[in-house]
């Protein structure tokens, strides 16, 4: 039985869900992995004979590096059929824009409260500072 890590399994199943052929962009979106992690695992999966990669220069504007497309090999499809490569059950966090907006609003409110507190402390310092100096002067006299 072939042993691969869960991120590699996620990549294989992402490619499978894209009808056996997916770009690095598709895989990053679906798995949450960064570009270097996807490329590293492509190399490992190619060494195992599970994927074949090719560059697609027509998928990007001129002057931009071509997108890498990964395709499942027959060996990978056979392994999936046999159940030897089981899809990872790990769920990646999905952050929705609405979640971000709510978090940002909460942070802004917290920041406003902290600014008020700092302003209050500065006011106290402005009032207390001269009093302390007076006490120190009186004590030395």
């Amino acid at each position: 039985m072939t042993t691969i890590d869960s991120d590699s399994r996620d990549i294989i199943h992402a490619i499978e869900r894209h009808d056996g052929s997916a770009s690095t962009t598709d895989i990053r979106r679906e798995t949450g992995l960064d570009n270097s992690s996807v490329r590293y695992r492509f190399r490992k999966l190619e060494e195992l004979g599970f994927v074949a990669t090719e560059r697609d220069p027509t998928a990007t504007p001129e002057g931009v590096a071509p997108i890498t497309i990964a395709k499942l090999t027959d060996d990978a499809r056979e392994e999936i059929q046999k159940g030897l490569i089981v899809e990872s059950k790990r769920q990646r966090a999905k952050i929705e824009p609405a979640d971000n907006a709510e978090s940002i609003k909460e942070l802004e409110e917290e920041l406003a409260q902290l600014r008020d507190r700092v302003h209050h402390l500065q006011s106290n310092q402005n009032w207390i500072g001269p009093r302390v100096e007076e006490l120190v002067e009186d004590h030395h006299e």
Side-chain angles (χ1 to χ4, degrees):
M1 180 167 144
T2 303
T3 306
I4 59 172
D5 67 24
S6 61
D7 287 338
S8 295
R9 280 194 306 274
D10 289 348
I11 288 172
I12 287 172
H13 289 286
I15 298 168
E16 181 185 32
R17 284 188 295 275
H18 283 87
D19 296 324
S21 178
S23 70
T24 51
T25 304
D26 295 330
I27 292 167
R28 284 193 335 262
R29 284 183 185 142
E30 201 162 316
T31 64
L33 295 170
D34 62 36
N35 201 36
S36 63
S37 295
V38 171
R39 290 187 186 284
Y40 169 78
R41 283 177 175 77
F42 276 180
R43 283 193 303 275
K44 295 297 180 186
L45 291 168
E46 279 183 303
E47 289 171 11
L48 291 170
F50 290 152
V51 299
T53 60
E54 61 185 40
R55 302 258 182 181
D56 184 358
T58 64
T60 55
E62 190 174 323
V64 176
I67 290 178
T68 300
I69 306 293
K71 296 182 180 186
L72 291 180
T73 63
D74 290 339
D75 288 346
R77 291 178 192 280
E78 193 175 307
E79 293 284 314
I80 292 167
Q81 285 290 77
K82 289 185 210 171
L84 297 179
I85 303 175
V86 179
E87 188 165 6
S88 173
K89 297 297 181 201
R90 179 180 57 202
Q91 295 294 319
R92 297 192 187 273
K94 291 191 169 131
I95 299 173
E96 298 296 326
D99 295 337
N100 285 338
E102 187 176 320
S103 295
I104 290 169
K105 183 178 178 183
E106 289 172 7
L107 289 170
E108 286 173 340
E109 289 171 4
E110 204 174 314
L111 181 61
Q113 290 173 357
L114 289 171
R115 282 186 178 138
D116 289 346
R117 182 73 180 135
V118 166
H119 177 73
H120 178 73
L121 290 170
Q122 286 173 335
S123 297
N124 285 345
Q125 181 183 8
N126 291 340
W127 184 85
I128 291 174
R131 302 317 170 276
V132 169
E133 288 176 20
E134 287 175 18
L135 288 171
V136 169
E137 285 176 14
D138 288 347
H139 181 69
H140 281 72
E141 286 179 3

